[in-house]
Amino acid sequence: MHAAVVTSFDAPPRYSEYPAPVAQGENEMVVDVLAAGLHQLVRARANGTHYSSTGTVPFVPGVDAVVRDQHGNLRYAALDDSDLGTLAEQTVIDLRRSVLLPDDADPVRIAAAMNPAMSSWVALRRRIAFREGQRVLVLGATGSAGRMAVQIAKRFGAAYVIAAGRNASRLAALHDLGADETVTFERADRAADVDIVIDYVWGEPSTRAMTAMITARRDRSAPLDWIQIGSVAGQTIPVDSSLLRASRLQICGSGIGSVPARDFLAELPELAVAVHTDAIDVRARPVPLAQVSETWNAQTDDRIVYVP
């Protein structure tokens, strides 16, 4: 079969032949891949920078997909760590890590949305005690996951959502998706009194935002849950010890390891329904898998979805 194959962490995957998959476990099944998203996690594993990377090649990247099982059913499947990911004509899934989809579900739409939407969905459901009426700041709101985080926070009952990013014109479009206010990173002090921060940025922008917000916070005794999800601006930040002593800042991460697999799986059915019924706005760009090398590093506002 054909697949996108990583042979070096310094180059995009190449479209080439790869051994056909074989199911081995009791709950495993070989399936046809219909659509698989190019997520930040997929890129990070493919270049060896993600903490879950094994550091060995060759392998096929891809962490999830919409597939057709051997009985003709449409499924969304999330894979555990494997050398055979979803950027292939076929893969092996664990049926317990999949959910059935309606026959009329759009494979490209589902594949584009589930992984990035899951990041904020699970963070608010499983990592903190989120309550309706709270105020939320999304750092990095103009990216695919950030745009969905704005919508998901509102869906869960946030009273006020502030979207933060670099590009003012792209931020303006988020008002139509539920953002009550938009700010650039330089004006994060205007979000000083939120209850929750969903952070896809980290690095230097988060350092500046954290300092500005806590300095300007009217009631520093009010809890501030800072959920670290992405790190597009850097893997580390310096945190001044005075920020921790002078406020009720509580930093936690949300991702593989901090959230048990069973918790992710428990959220899949409801999220799949939300995506399928257009409750979440999705931008997707289908691309033939054969063009993986040329499009791997493409700059686009849409989530690239590879179609074998």
Side-chain angles (χ1 to χ4, degrees), residues 39 48 88 100 119 166:
H39 313 304
L100 288 169
S119 62
R166 296 187 187 279

Side-chain angles (χ1 to χ4, degrees), residues 71-229:
H71 306 295
N73 299 312
L74 203 62
R75 291 179 179 269
Y76 169 78
L79 269 59
D80 202 351
D81 293 342
S82 170
D83 290 339
L84 176 57
T86 53
L87 300 191
E89 292 176 324
Q90 291 186 314
T91 193
V92 175
I93 68 168
D94 184 328
L95 291 172
R96 296 168 299 182
R97 297 174 61 90
S98 71
V99 293
L100 288 169
L101 298 172
D103 291 338
D104 62 344
D106 181 349
V108 171
R109 178 183 176 83
I110 300 290
M114 290 293 285
N115 177 271
M118 182 70 68
S119 62
S120 58
W121 186 289
V122 165
L124 294 176
R125 280 275 178 86
R126 300 284 176 164
R127 289 299 283 138
I128 63 170
F130 176 79
R131 304 184 308 277
E132 289 188 16
Q134 290 188 301
R135 297 163 61 90
V136 177
L137 168 67
V138 180
L139 279 179
T142 57
S144 180
R147 292 177 71 255
M148 293 183 191
V150 170
Q151 301 171 67
I152 288 167
K154 276 292 188 179
R155 179 182 179 87
F156 287 172
Y160 199 82
V161 176
I162 303 175
R166 296 187 187 279
N167 190 308
S169 61
R170 293 175 67 183
L171 282 170
L174 296 177
H175 288 289
D176 291 337
L177 299 181
D180 298 286
E181 184 179 351
T182 60
V183 298
T184 58
F185 291 143
E186 290 72 20
R187 292 309 314 273
D189 60 297
R190 289 168 51 187
D193 294 311
V194 298
D195 304 295
I196 297 161
V197 177
I198 300 174
D199 187 350
Y200 290 102
V201 182
W202 212 231
E204 189 269 342
S206 291
T207 299
R208 287 192 288 109
M210 190 179 294
T211 302
M213 289 172 62
I214 291 176
T215 300
R217 200 163 172 80
R218 286 179 291 184
D219 181 4
R220 295 187 185 180
S221 67
L224 173 59
D225 287 307
W226 198 290
I227 314 174
Q228 201 284 317
I229 299 178

Side-chain angles (χ1 to χ4, degrees), residues 118 121-122 125-126 263-272:
M118 182 70 68
W121 186 289
V122 165
R125 280 275 178 86
R126 300 284 176 164
D263 288 353
F264 276 109
L265 297 175
E267 298 294 342
L268 288 180
E270 186 179 346
L271 175 57

